[in-house]
Amino acid sequence: MLNSFIAKPFENDAAAELFKKQLHWMLFVRVVFLTLLLGINFMLQSAEKHIIVPSFYYVVAFILYFSAEAVWHRPPQVQLPTAPS
């Protein structure tokens, strides 16, 4: 159960659905942002290394590892609090 000082209970199911929709959009934007960073990293690499940039394969492995970690090791589902009726 969440502490009421941390999160207010949802007044209705529409608020819970809005929260879930916003969370999904935030996760989608995160994936797009990481993909853009991966593309920028790939474009900035050259044969001569004047700056320290990890190789493309290390960056791909890093993103895949933490994406898989987020998918397979999810925290337990928390029942969202609702306002007393």
Side-chain angles (χ1 to χ4, degrees):
M1 187 166 154
L2 293 176
N3 189 341
S4 62
F5 291 113
I6 297 173
K8 293 181 180 178
F10 290 115
E11 302 268 334
N12 54 23
D13 291 337
E17 287 300 316
L18 178 64
F19 176 74
K20 288 179 185 177
K21 190 178 291 187
Q22 289 175 341
L23 182 62
H24 285 137
W25 271 107
M26 184 182 70
L27 292 172
F28 173 72
V29 168
R30 177 182 154 215
V31 168
V32 170
F33 178 70
L34 289 175
T35 305
L36 285 173
L37 286 179
L38 183 63
I40 290 169
N41 186 12
F42 181 73
M43 296 299 289
L44 290 178
Q45 287 187 5
S46 64
E48 300 175 18
K49 301 289 184 183
H50 296 289
I51 58 174
I52 299 173
V53 178
S55 84
F56 177 74
Y57 297 109
Y58 286 132
V59 174
V60 170
F62 179 80
I63 292 175
L64 288 176
Y65 173 76
F66 283 105
S67 297
E69 183 77 22
V71 170
W72 287 321
H73 297 290
R74 291 182 183 169
Q77 296 295 323
V78 176
Q79 180 66 32
L80 299 174
T82 56
S85 27

